[in-house]
Amino acid sequence: MKYWRLAPGRQRIPPDGRKLETMIEVLVVDDDALMRGLVAEWLSEAGYRVRQAESGAKALRMLRSRPAGLLITDMDMPGRDGAQTLDEARRMLPGLSVIAISGGALDGRQNWAATALKLGAAKALAKPFERQALLATVKKVVPRGKSGAVRV
């Protein structure tokens, strides 16, 4: 059995040695470091370039300095919550694709997913979710021709 290997900078090289170029960068925003790291790891393993932010404020600063192609944001965070982050990010970058994630209520409202979709999120995923559910959702949301890795 042949395995993928990591080139310098964590770029994934398939067993046949062809180079891959990641077409999209994903910004993962979650105040829970464990969840944020796990989502980032799954996406990296799938060939996406990933950046991480622990707060909505930091995510918006990062998007201003270098836009991403996809934002995955927790909806329930202290300070600037996911709804505010999503709303500001979409106003700043109208073409930005967004996936909202959450494991709880948003300001006491149980329907955080409906709030996220109303604010422009393409999809909403309830925590906990499995790796395959996340990757399938990303594949659906990312603009055609820009998902994952492609042969160069």
Side-chain angles (χ1 to χ4, degrees):
M1 177 174 249
K2 296 184 178 185
Y3 296 93
W4 287 60
R5 61 186 168 82
L6 291 178
R10 296 188 46 96
Q11 184 181 18
R12 295 174 51 82
I13 305 290
D16 64 9
R18 71 182 187 271
K19 289 186 179 180
L20 296 180
E21 177 184 310
T22 303
M23 298 297 291
I24 188 166
E25 187 168 77
V26 182
L27 178 57
V28 178
V29 188
D30 199 320
D31 60 315
D32 180 339
L34 185 61
M35 185 64 168
R36 184 177 68 244
L38 184 60
V39 169
E41 180 180 319
W42 287 346
L43 292 168
S44 292
E45 288 173 354
Y48 295 94
R49 286 182 296 162
V50 182
R51 292 186 291 159
Q52 300 179 48
E54 65 275 359
S55 69
K58 183 173 182 183
L60 292 171
R61 286 192 304 273
M62 291 172 75
L63 288 171
R64 277 187 202 97
S65 67
R66 191 172 85 216
L70 174 63
L71 174 68
I72 298 178
T73 185
D74 184 20
M75 292 297 288
D76 188 17
M77 297 184 290
R80 181 173 277 132
D81 67 18
Q84 294 167 318
T85 301
L86 192 163
D87 187 44
E88 286 186 47
R90 296 268 302 146
R91 279 191 276 128
M92 183 185 349
L93 301 165
L96 180 65
S97 297
V98 180
I99 297 173
I101 60 176
S102 187
L106 177 63
D107 294 336
R109 295 174 293 200
Q110 294 299 318
N111 204 348
W112 62 267
T115 300
L117 295 172
K118 191 178 292 184
L119 290 171
K123 294 284 182 183
L125 273 177
K127 295 179 191 175
F129 47 81
E130 294 183 6
R131 180 181 189 273
Q132 289 307 319
L134 172 69
L135 296 178
T137 302
V138 168
K139 190 172 182 179
K140 288 178 189 172
V141 169
V142 171
R144 188 173 176 85
K146 292 190 175 183
S147 66
V150 296
R151 188 176 291 207
V152 177

